[in-house]
Amino acid sequence: MDPRIREHAETIADHSTGIEAGENVVIAMPREAEDLAVALHEVVGDRGANPVYLNNSERASRAFLRACADGSDEDGGEFETPDHQLALYEETDVVVIARGGANVSEQSDVAPETTAAYRRAMQPVLKERLSKRWCLTQFPSSGHAQLAGMSTEAYENFVWDAVSLDWDAQRAHQAEMVEILDDADEVRIRSGEGTDVTMSVAGNTTLNDYGEKNLPGGEVFTAPVRESVEGEVHFDMPLYRQGREIEGVRVRFEEGRVESYSAERNEEVLDGVFDTDEGARYLGELGIGMNRNIDRFTYNMLFDEKMGDTVHMAVGAAYEECVGEENEANESAEHVDMIVDMSTESVIEVDGEVVQRDGTFVFEDGFE
């Protein structure tokens, strides 16, 4: 086994989740990531915790979704919340999930409305899982390497270099942006001719993602005040969802709500997202990518949203930790991130002051 896999497992157990003796741990990942699952079982055993292993199979999920949708009407079919899965997470202390399946397009022939209906049914399970200590990470499978346009070896190096960062140094770097946003009332983002959007973050908390719940980490993020978002956004970096590439997304917000949208390619996938529930038409997250070790776009949101010189916004559920007591947390079965390139002709303004111009922050050398 590649020694970097054991290092990856130790980073998850010690840095990301802090697994302790006697705790119940769910390890969920595809067959292609079995080496990481084995290493995690060794590490969990060393720490005296109790693992349960779930094989996340995209093929099996596809088969179930298509079978349930067969002959259904336009709502995508009916699904029940799996109470047995909910019970598992109720008894769990830590959840570790790894992506890395063989075929990233496995669910490309599942109708968007079916996916939306299933996510609605799964919302209680997702909410319970997110209430635990959790980590989402990536195993460098050949399928994801192909999607990224890289050889398997090059992708392995890319992934393991990204997860083995000096996370204390990254935390300190990002803390300067956290301090700026935590005291803020209004954020304005402008990029090119297509993006000019404002939102309030007053009363909400900004979190510093340095490789805990997401591994790799490398962003700061908060929740917009639900009805405060106004303006237009051109998400000029692609989104890969449900086995399909969505390009050239444009969204217009009024009083926080998505009032119109379009995409140059695979717009019907967006239809399924925004029709999931009412909360899917509101922003749940504003995130600023600050990890410059992630230096290329790979069609994998776990990495792409952390890239330096980017901003991402997620329609759907807000993270409760970000929402202040006086504000309403946006609730939804969806949480879909989309990215804006901020490297040229772009600024982030906080309360009228420019804090980033063309990707360079006010606290960095080279800011003008």
Side-chain angles (χ1 to χ4, degrees):
M1 182 183 296
D2 191 313
R4 294 174 297 181
I5 300 176
R6 172 75 185 203
E7 182 182 354
H8 191 174
E10 291 175 345
T11 300
I12 293 168
D14 298 332
H15 172 76
S16 300
T17 61
I19 294 172
E20 297 180 353
E23 291 191 315
N24 295 327
V25 182
V26 171
I27 299 169
M29 48 196 64
R31 176 171 52 85
E32 290 75 16
E34 186 177 29
D35 281 353
L36 179 58
V38 170
L40 274 167
H41 278 73
E42 291 175 348
V43 170
V44 167
D46 288 344
R47 284 148 184 76
N50 310 306
V52 168
Y53 183 32
L54 304 181
N55 179 13
N56 281 356
S57 167
E58 291 289 318
R59 286 186 63 203
S61 295
R62 171 189 175 274
F64 172 70
L65 292 173
R66 285 175 59 87
C68 289
D70 186 31
S72 68
D73 56 23
E74 293 182 358
D75 66 5
E78 293 186 4
F79 297 89
E80 295 183 359
T81 299
D83 291 337
H84 57 308
Q85 189 173 359
L86 179 60
L88 172 64
Y89 289 123
E90 288 173 345
E91 297 298 324
T92 295
D93 299 297
V94 177
V95 182
V96 180
I97 300 172
R99 296 171 176 171
N103 182 1
V104 296
S105 300
E106 189 66 59
Q107 296 192 25
S108 61
D109 54 0
V110 176
E113 57 268 21
T114 299
T115 300
Y118 179 65
R119 290 185 68 87
R120 286 193 293 270
M122 289 294 292
Q123 188 174 8
V125 177
L126 176 63
K127 188 172 183 179
E128 183 65 30
R129 177 170 67 77
L130 292 177
S131 73
K132 308 299 181 174
R133 303 202 312 279
W134 57 272
C135 176
L136 172 65
T137 191
Q138 177 73 40
F139 187 81
S141 67
S142 57
H144 280 83
Q146 186 174 27
L147 182 64
M150 303 171 69
S151 69
T152 302
E153 181 180 3
Y155 190 63
E156 289 173 348
N157 294 335
F158 170 79
V159 169
W160 283 320
D161 286 349
V163 302
S164 61
L165 220 58
D166 181 342
W167 293 114
D168 289 336
Q170 189 68 27
R171 178 183 186 180
H173 171 61
Q174 294 173 181
E176 297 189 73
M177 193 63 204
V178 171
E179 184 176 354
I180 290 172
L181 285 176
D182 256 349
D183 293 332
D185 288 325
E186 184 179 85
V187 178
R188 182 182 183 186
I189 297 167
R190 293 184 284 126
S191 181
E193 297 180 355
T195 296
D196 190 348
V197 63
T198 61
M199 64 193 71
S200 172
V201 294
N204 285 346
T205 300
T206 305
L207 298 185
N208 189 339
D209 170 20
Y210 52 96
E212 293 182 303
K213 292 181 177 179
N214 281 183
L215 185 65
E219 64 169 301
V220 301
F221 62 98
T222 189
V225 176
R226 192 173 187 268
E227 281 81 23
S228 71
V229 186
E230 297 281 349
E232 298 184 356
V233 184
H234 177 206
F235 295 104
D236 51 2
M237 301 186 80
L239 165 67
Y240 201 81
R241 179 175 173 82
Q242 215 177 313
R244 281 167 276 193
E245 182 180 5
I246 310 168
E247 292 183 311
V249 176
R250 296 179 184 270
V251 178
R252 181 171 59 85
F253 294 93
E254 292 181 7
E255 297 182 352
R257 191 176 189 274
V258 174
E259 290 299 332
S260 64
Y261 62 90
S262 64
E264 296 171 5
R265 184 181 181 197
N266 285 323
E267 185 176 308
E268 68 277 5
V269 181
L270 286 183
D271 296 338
V273 170
F274 290 128
D275 291 342
T276 299
D277 50 40
E278 182 62 14
R281 286 187 174 256
Y282 289 83
L283 279 189
E285 179 191 359
L286 168 66
I288 300 173
M290 298 185 66
N291 187 341
R292 294 204 172 91
N293 281 42
I294 300 174
D295 58 0
R296 61 182 295 164
F297 186 80
T298 60
Y299 292 92
N300 184 335
M301 194 59 69
L302 183 62
F303 292 79
D304 298 339
E305 69 174 4
K306 315 298 191 324
M307 291 174 62
D309 307 345
T310 65
V311 160
H312 58 276
M313 303 173 207
V315 293
Y319 295 111
E320 292 185 1
E321 308 97 302
C322 292
V323 181
E325 293 182 0
E326 302 299 319
N327 291 331
E328 177 186 0
N330 191 47
E331 295 188 2
S332 174
E334 287 287 8
H335 183 93
V336 179
D337 295 284
M338 294 178 281
I339 303 175
V340 180
D341 181 359
M342 299 293 289
S343 61
T344 59
E345 298 181 7
S346 302
V347 297
I348 301 175
E349 297 177 11
V350 175
D351 295 334
E353 298 290 331
V354 176
V355 300
Q356 187 198 69
R357 179 178 286 110
D358 296 342
T360 302
F361 292 100
V362 65
F363 47 81
E364 292 182 306
D365 293 341
F367 179 82
E368 298 180 357

